[in-house]
Amino acid sequence: MNVQNSVVPALERALNIIEYIAAHSEPVTLKQITTDLCIPSASAFRLIKNLVSRGYVSENSGAHMTYSLGSKFMSIASAYERNSSLHLAAKPVMLSLASQLGQTVQLGIWKNGVLIYIDQAFSSAPLSVTAPLYEPVSINTSASAKITLPLLPEEERTNAIDACDFRRLTDNTITDKTVFMEEVRKSHEQGYGFDNEEFAVGIGCLAVPIYDNVKNCIGSLGITGSIQAYQKEDMFQHMLSVLREASSRITQNLIQ
């Protein structure tokens, strides 16, 4: 078969538009798309309208209509992650952990230089904390960031810290880089990260690293809930012990 002859022009253009939008950090205009991709305006407009209707592209109203990637890619990314080995190894452990501790459980990874949560499991507790998935996490408010940052390659760690704006979300948020780095160092020594109402008032989070079979950190396992549970030393130590055991079970699931 001649591969060149099997290319569908409309599909090729639609994929080029998606890749073009994805390559830009800011929304783009129709004129940018037609000029840079050499697509006739009428054709580009029809293709974009179809992509918008399917959720692959999002329209942004303003002085000029602009376009960015749509929410469909989040569901596609979610489906991809669900089939990843880490997700498959972690999911049953997360469900059990949420039930056992009455906390929301989050699975975090570093991807393209940012920390994101790729899955979570909920308990039946009255207070159920939900974290946005596949969105960059503010590292200065994150227990997962505190424990995984020291385990990143040096360049990736430096870039992540330099990119942080250290924005204040609560009175407890760490907004000073030096203070944050000391907290990261302490977390590394302790073997866990703790968010003490730094992201949201009344909410605490405890996180530990997840390792593969050769002790490379491949993610984080965190629990989130009412700060009251984390303020009781015996409860804190119990949750930490259970969390560490859960992380080890994920590692075992990965190598089975």
Side-chain angles (χ1 to χ4, degrees):
M1 176 185 292
N2 188 322
V3 176
Q4 187 67 33
N5 292 337
S6 68
V7 172
V8 180
L11 178 59
E12 184 82 358
R13 283 178 170 176
L15 292 173
N16 286 341
I17 289 172
I18 289 172
E19 291 176 356
Y20 180 83
I21 293 173
H24 288 74
S25 58
E26 298 292 333
V28 299
T29 64
L30 177 63
K31 182 174 178 57
Q32 286 177 279
I33 294 171
T34 57
T35 300
D36 292 347
L37 297 182
C38 299
I39 301 175
S41 296
S43 297
F45 183 76
R46 287 195 300 270
L47 288 169
I48 290 171
K49 282 298 181 183
N50 275 279
L51 292 170
V52 168
S53 70
R54 297 292 297 271
Y56 290 100
V57 170
S58 176
E59 288 182 327
N60 311 294
S61 300
H64 299 284
M65 181 69 74
T66 59
Y67 302 95
S68 54
L69 289 184
S71 59
K72 178 61 71 69
F73 286 101
M74 183 177 293
S75 62
I76 291 174
S78 178
Y80 174 80
E81 295 294 351
R82 280 198 302 272
N83 292 318
S84 72
S85 57
L86 175 58
H87 186 279
L88 293 174
K91 191 62 176 184
V93 177
M94 293 171 65
L95 291 170
S96 174
L97 189 60
S99 175
Q100 183 178 357
L101 294 182
Q103 304 282 298
T104 299
V105 182
Q106 280 113 11
L107 179 65
I109 63 169
W110 285 88
K111 197 164 192 175
N112 299 325
V114 296
L115 176 65
I116 59 174
Y117 296 125
I118 61 172
D119 197 14
Q120 55 194 330
F122 301 101
S123 73
S124 58
L127 176 63
S128 185
V129 182
T130 302
L133 301 183
Y134 302 100
E135 294 185 11
V137 175
S138 298
I139 62 171
N140 62 312
T141 66
S142 168
S144 291
K146 290 178 186 178
I147 191 56
T148 54
L149 270 170
L151 304 173
L152 293 176
E154 183 176 357
E155 183 178 0
E156 187 175 351
R157 178 172 65 249
T158 300
N159 290 340
I161 294 168
D162 289 345
C164 181
D165 60 5
F166 291 94
R167 180 165 51 95
R168 181 177 296 282
L169 298 181
T170 74
D171 289 343
N172 285 6
T173 301
I174 300 173
T175 58
D176 181 88
K177 179 179 177 180
T178 302
V179 175
F180 177 69
M181 292 308 300
E182 174 59 23
E183 183 72 10
V184 169
R185 184 197 64 77
K186 185 172 72 172
S187 298
H188 184 53
E189 287 184 354
Q190 295 172 153
Y192 65 85
F194 179 48
D195 160 17
N196 182 24
E197 297 186 276
E198 293 154 47
F199 177 75
V201 175
I203 301 300
C205 180
L206 187 60
V208 297
I210 301 172
Y211 296 102
D212 63 15
N213 62 322
V214 291
K215 293 294 287 183
N216 292 316
C217 178
I218 55 173
S220 65
L221 185 66
I223 54 174
T224 305
S226 170
I227 191 63
Q228 294 177 352
Y230 299 85
Q231 292 172 335
K232 301 172 183 176
E233 182 62 22
D234 57 341
M235 178 63 75
F236 185 97
Q237 292 301 326
H238 170 68
M239 292 193 297
L240 177 58
S241 175
V242 173
L243 186 60
R244 282 172 166 161
E245 182 183 340
S247 175
S248 296
R249 290 207 309 274
I250 293 173
T251 301
Q252 289 300 314
N253 288 347
L254 283 167
I255 62 180
Q256 285 178 353

